[in-house]
Amino acid sequence: MTASDPFIDRLARARAAAKRLATATTAQKHAALEAIAVGIEGAIPRIVAANAEDLERGRANGIGDGLLDRLRLDEARLRGLAAAVREVVALPDPIGQVVRGSTLPNGITINQVRVPFGVVGAIYEARPNVTVDIVALALKSGNGAVLRGGSAAERSNEVLVALIQEAISRAGLDGDAVQTIDEFGREGAGRLMRARGYVDVLIPRGSAGLISTVVQESTVPVIETGSGIVHVYVDASAEAEMAVGIVTNAKTHRPSVCNAAETLLVHREAAPRLLPALAAALRGSGVELYADAAARELLPDAGAVAADEETWATEHLALEMGVRIVDSLDEAIAHIERYSTRHTEAIVTQDYANAERFLAEVDSAVVMVNASTRFTDGGEFGFGAEVGISTQKLHARGPMGLPELTSTKWLVRGSGQIR
């Protein structure tokens, strides 16, 4: 008898549990989600202690302030995660929703309805909050979840997944629906990418390198979430106070996340009026500026470093920002077209025509007028939580909530009709 493969056994258990979960009632799923929220709240000291081990190891390994911020779980963040799970409970259950349907002339009725994918795989790094977000959305949408959370958050994820499995089981569903493969290391991540037949869709979240690796190497269908080279364009008509507020928030509110702005574009006509105030606000918040020659001429005392080609192509994920002066809206859009990762772009303007042109012509998942890019977020969009922010164009684009974790099938009901 051949010895069983523990990796495949774990995926098989997730798949079997997902089949049962697909037919669970909304009430059963809600009970499991509430049990998860209660479990998190009741284990805050235990989770924080495990997270402290990850943080200590991360600092020793020099992973950087941005990743350390993403890795950190404190009481406030954990209570926020529990609240996000409860927000998912309050959302409509997508399973069984009729997308479209009709009755044919021969009396056959056809309906396209939402169904779970089956098993959703996720590969991410240094983001233990993602463990909870993905599980909550997968559970509500009737999917199993196989998680590779990476070595940086291994202790945090170990505790969280154990709590989640216990909570699901207490609620009367199968806790095997959620699995972690962290113990299998990098080899496990590679095997997950090739687990076609066990995993129905794979979602990577993390650095551009991680996402690129998953997209290129996976034989499992991938929903690509993207890194965020995010732009804010300050138009000639922009109002000063609004521009300063939006740009500062977009860059400094939480610089380590993908919806933080990385490049500031300023119209040449507005630059003498607005750029000094923008730079002062950013520098006052500790932002290092990398500016082109025209911007540096207007900022002799700001200590801006000369920008180069790499500046515009970098997702800093830190208190660093590129600054460029452009001659027109057309030039701003061209710059975004060249360097954007198609995540989020914003314009600050009082010109209605320019706002509408920006919305129509910029090809990113989220395009904004007079609002901070930090609003590109599943929670802010009313999704409760998010699986990620998709920058691809197939199936899902932008923040991914419950409907994006479903497929559809056609239900056909007849009364003996033949063709």
Side-chain angles (χ1 to χ4, degrees), residues 120-135:
V120 175
I123 298 179
Y124 49 104
E125 52 192 3
R127 305 174 186 209
N129 64 296
V130 172
T131 299
V132 178
D133 287 346
I134 287 180
V135 167

Side-chain angles (χ1 to χ4, degrees), residues 16 59 62 84 120 153 172 190 203 248 254-255 276 310 313 388:
R59 281 189 288 266
V120 175
I203 301 170
T248 305
R254 195 173 175 196
E310 186 178 355

Side-chain angles (χ1 to χ4, degrees), residues 76-95:
R77 288 187 179 182
L78 287 168
R79 292 197 181 279
L81 284 174
V85 172
R86 291 190 172 103
E87 288 175 12
V88 172
V89 172
L91 297 172
D93 189 340
I95 301 306

Side-chain angles (χ1 to χ4, degrees), residues 250-264:
K251 177 70 259 184
T252 69
H253 182 251
R254 195 173 175 196
S256 66
V257 295
C258 60
N259 59 17
E262 302 291 13
T263 300
L264 170 63

Side-chain angles (χ1 to χ4, degrees), residues 244-257 259-261 281-288 318-321 372-374:
V244 170
I246 288 173
V247 172
T248 305
N249 181 264
K251 177 70 259 184
T252 69
H253 182 251
R254 195 173 175 196
S256 66
V257 295
N259 59 17
L282 291 166
R283 294 286 288 169
S285 297
V287 179
E288 181 83 16
L319 290 173
E320 303 173 34
M321 191 174 208
S372 170
T373 60
R374 287 284 290 123

Side-chain angles (χ1 to χ4, degrees), residues 234-240 267 270 273-274 348-352 354:
V234 177
D235 196 25
S237 64
E239 190 272 325
H267 193 286
R273 176 172 62 91
L274 297 178
V348 184
T349 185
Q350 297 301 311
D351 186 316
Y352 175 81
N354 282 356

Side-chain angles (χ1 to χ4, degrees), residues 293-349:
R296 293 199 309 279
E297 286 182 9
L298 295 171
L299 304 171
D301 301 321
V305 177
D308 57 20
E309 186 70 14
E310 186 178 355
T311 301
W312 318 125
T314 298
E315 183 186 25
H316 301 290
L317 299 175
L319 290 173
E320 303 173 34
M321 191 174 208
V323 182
R324 181 183 177 187
I325 292 178
V326 294
D327 289 327
S328 64
L329 174 60
D330 287 324
E331 189 176 349
I333 292 174
H335 178 102
I336 292 168
E337 175 67 24
R338 179 172 180 180
Y339 296 104
S340 172
T341 53
R342 307 292 185 258
H343 189 294
T344 301
E345 326 296 345
I347 182 174
V348 184
T349 185

